[in-house]
Amino acid sequence: MKINFLKLDKKIYVISAVTLLLLIVSLVAYFYSNKGTRRQFIYESVDQSSMYIESRYLPSKPLNGKVENYIDELVSGPITERARPLFGQGTKVNYCFENNYVLYVDLSSQALYTKDSNRDFESVFALAAKNIKYNFPSIKHVEFSVEKQPVFEGRY
């Protein structure tokens, strides 16, 4: 009895090898790619008296630190038009540092200038503190100042 082996063409071997190589390269690229860290941003809704939540991917290792990078994004405002920015346009973070679970944030004077004249600034700073503490649980309190002047006595 004679056994016949299936003879495959060389083209099949080349196509299989190239496909396997592409699969391996694709998997390596997928595992080494990093979209960043997902962060939540909570803003007031323009239409209703409710909150609007945005999710954004921020760099995992930013140059200015994770917390300050997050605060820069928070201060810059929402992406959509359906949410109200927390602070006035052009607000910058002068400094931001953490000491004993307390975050100290100093903002530029533009933080107090908004288009909405009947806005309660205490609730705005409370919402900003809520955003920070939600995304960084190690921070227990946040103290805000504008141009090195405390905004409200006490911590959020």
Side-chain angles (χ1 to χ4, degrees), residues 2-156:
K2 186 175 182 183
I3 299 175
N4 290 330
F5 289 104
L6 181 64
K7 293 185 179 181
L8 297 177
D9 194 16
K10 288 184 181 180
K11 290 180 184 179
I12 299 292
Y13 285 122
V14 171
I15 291 172
S16 298
V18 168
T19 304
L20 184 62
L21 181 66
L22 287 174
L23 177 67
I24 290 170
V25 168
S26 175
L27 286 173
V28 167
Y30 174 76
F31 287 116
Y32 279 104
S33 69
N34 187 358
K35 293 190 241 178
T37 305
R38 185 177 178 186
R39 300 286 182 200
Q40 303 292 323
F41 295 84
I42 305 169
Y43 295 102
E44 294 175 339
S45 175
V46 174
D47 303 340
Q48 309 160 4
S49 61
S50 62
M51 296 296 167
Y52 184 81
I53 299 175
E54 289 182 358
S55 294
R56 298 183 207 169
Y57 285 94
L58 300 182
S60 297
K61 297 177 183 177
L63 295 175
N64 57 350
K66 292 179 182 181
V67 177
E68 188 168 349
N69 186 41
Y70 176 80
I71 294 172
D72 284 338
E73 286 289 321
L74 181 67
V75 163
S76 68
I79 295 173
T80 70
E81 296 175 3
R82 305 202 46 87
R84 180 180 299 152
L86 290 176
F87 303 106
Q89 188 175 9
T91 302
K92 304 280 187 236
V93 178
N94 293 333
Y95 65 82
C96 167
F97 66 92
E98 183 182 355
N99 187 16
N100 293 332
Y101 309 109
V102 178
L103 183 69
Y104 299 92
V105 180
D106 185 60
L107 302 174
S108 64
S109 62
Q110 288 87 356
L112 300 176
Y113 303 113
T114 62
K115 294 177 184 177
D116 192 1
S117 60
N118 47 338
R119 194 133 186 226
D120 179 23
F121 281 106
E122 190 166 2
S123 66
V124 168
F125 285 101
L127 182 58
K130 179 179 179 180
N131 272 290
I132 295 166
K133 290 192 284 188
Y134 177 79
N135 285 282
F136 300 96
S138 64
I139 296 173
K140 302 301 178 200
H141 301 288
V142 182
E143 287 192 13
F144 288 102
S145 59
V146 174
E147 299 296 338
K148 300 180 182 174
Q149 299 297 320
V151 179
F152 294 101
E153 293 299 321
R155 298 175 177 168
Y156 292 100

